[in-house]
Amino acid sequence: QVELVESGGGSVQAGGSLRLSCVVSGYNGGPHCMGWFRQAPGKERERVADIDRSSQANYRPSLKGRFTISWDNTNHTVYLQMDALKPDDTAKYYCAAGRTNCPSFRHWGQGTQVTVSS
């Protein structure tokens, strides 16, 4: 079974940093696209960033420069480095994977909560 497990969420003060991790397993042939999404209460789910096997990355324009996505192919782990966090970044963050070129997201993790206080 395909399984995506996120970790690294928590509570931080504004201006702080967190690094989220997503470990993917049970994916025959491996994914071609990995991504991070987030959803805050009462809001639509939104794409944070995605990355393909060649490490080409795409970011939500408002987040570019503060967030960095990377993919460690050896350890089958995708990371999201989040710097200069703001209260508006508070949301549940989800990892997703797909078999075709980005954007492609068929499998999803359970999510990890990020809370940023003023």
Side-chain angles (χ1 to χ4, degrees):
Q1 297 181 354
V2 175
E3 185 176 29
L4 280 66
V5 180
E6 303 99 331
S7 62
S11 299
V12 297
Q13 293 185 348
S17 297
L18 286 172
R19 189 175 77 159
L20 307 183
S21 299
C22 173
V23 179
V24 59
S25 62
Y27 212 135
N28 188 27
H32 289 254
C33 178
M34 296 292 300
W36 286 98
F37 293 75
R38 68 184 186 183
Q39 187 169 26
K43 295 184 178 180
E44 294 286 329
R45 183 182 63 191
E46 62 183 25
R47 181 179 64 87
V48 173
D50 58 51
I51 187 169
D52 63 20
R53 287 184 171 181
S54 66
S55 297
Q56 181 175 345
N58 298 289
Y59 297 90
R60 186 176 184 85
S62 62
L63 301 177
K64 190 174 184 179
R66 294 195 297 119
F67 288 16
T68 303
I69 188 171
S70 60
W71 192 349
D72 185 338
N73 293 306
T74 301
N75 295 323
H76 309 290
T77 303
V78 176
Y79 301 94
L80 182 68
Q81 178 68 41
M82 305 185 294
D83 299 315
L85 284 163
K86 305 175 181 179
D88 285 347
D89 295 321
T90 296
K92 194 167 186 178
Y93 285 70
Y94 298 88
C95 179
R99 290 188 177 277
T100 59
N101 294 339
C102 292
S104 175
F105 308 105
R106 180 181 295 272
H107 303 282
W108 297 79
Q110 293 298 306
T112 183
Q113 180 67 37
V114 172
T115 302
V116 184
S117 60
S118 300

